[in-house]
Amino acid sequence: MTYAASIATAPVIREPLHAPVAHLVRGGVVEGIHYGSVVVLADGGGVDLQIGDIEAAFYPRSALKPVQAVAMLRAGLPLDGELLALAAASHSGEERHLAGTRRILELAGVTEDDLRNVPDLPYDPVVRDAWIREGRLPSRLAQNCSGKHAAMLMTARLNGWSLDDYLDPGHPLQQAIAEIVEDLTGQAIAQVTVDGCGAPLFSVSLHGLARAAARITAAPAGTPEARVADAMREHAEMASGSGRDVAALMRAVPGLLTKDGFEGVQMAALPDGRAVAVKIADGADRARGPVAVAALARAGVAPASLAEFGAVPLLGGGAVVGGLRPARALDPLPG
């Protein structure tokens, strides 16, 4: 399959021209500024708002996992429901995530020893602390990308592709994923490197990430895109973890699909095609969520659905003396 006819040129690799997207205010004085870039797409696909540099090449990190999951479904991966959500997850390392990953490996006829992701402790700090107290060591299964890697092994096995080198960018699996990244983002990949888990990481633009989010979320029922969106929304805790902001956000906003990524990245989209994508320049997670929520409000999501997610209080002597405030450019339009 090929989608080259609809693919734009790769985004330019340059120093992004980020702009202020959030202010840290203490006692009425701006104490710190988070720079970044934000894009909001209207339901027709046009750019409704842009802040900073939405066209420079950047790495979406784990925010690209739903796209990778779509690619694996197109290549024959037969998963649905919570196991498909896990295939697109940056999971917290809870027992349900470990059990789900083991189940995918079992269905693939492989074992944990076949995984090639980097051994790690669970991502969730509470789960990690319990893991350490129990004397458990870092493992490939506990690492937050193990569901994706198990699904990659299953896809490779079903297609008769080699398993030992499934992370090689030249492997048929990774070539198939790269093709779908270009299809859904609508642009050629600018650069390929290695993500933290060891898998190939594809550089696109923030605008391209938002387009991909919109295409996945607004896709017709039964398509690989819709299957991924449905699985992640219906099993939000499997796609992330208990207590994670992205899971709570999907529960709070009907039809919303959202996925975070390391280094301050988040994408979100609604079934009518409205979408947002955020990159915080310094990678600060404290700014990622509030800025993404403000972008969703700017996209027209009801403020009541977002009320619990925007506030990041700043304490002084145990009392609230300020907080993180998204840039005024992200304020909802009047009316």
Side-chain angles (χ1 to χ4, degrees), residues 229 232-233 235-237 239-240 245-259 309:
M232 294 181 68
R233 289 182 297 218
H235 304 277
E237 284 78 13
S240 54
D245 63 334
V246 286
L249 193 56
M250 284 192 280
R251 290 195 304 269
V253 181
L256 181 74
L257 173 71
T258 188
K259 181 71 185 75
F309 301 101

Side-chain angles (χ1 to χ4, degrees), residues 54-78:
I54 69 170
E55 303 296 353
F58 92 120
Y59 291 119
R61 302 300 298 272
S62 287
L64 202 63
K65 281 178 178 172
V67 177
Q68 293 170 307
V70 169
M72 287 188 277
L73 289 184
R74 290 193 187 183
L77 183 69

Side-chain angles (χ1 to χ4, degrees), residues 20 29 39 60 73 80 92 112 117 124 132 170 195 222 258 281 301 322 331-332:
V29 174
V39 59
L73 289 184
D80 276 300
S92 291
E112 183 179 349
N117 57 322
D124 183 271
I132 293 171
D195 209 339
T258 188
V301 174
D331 287 350

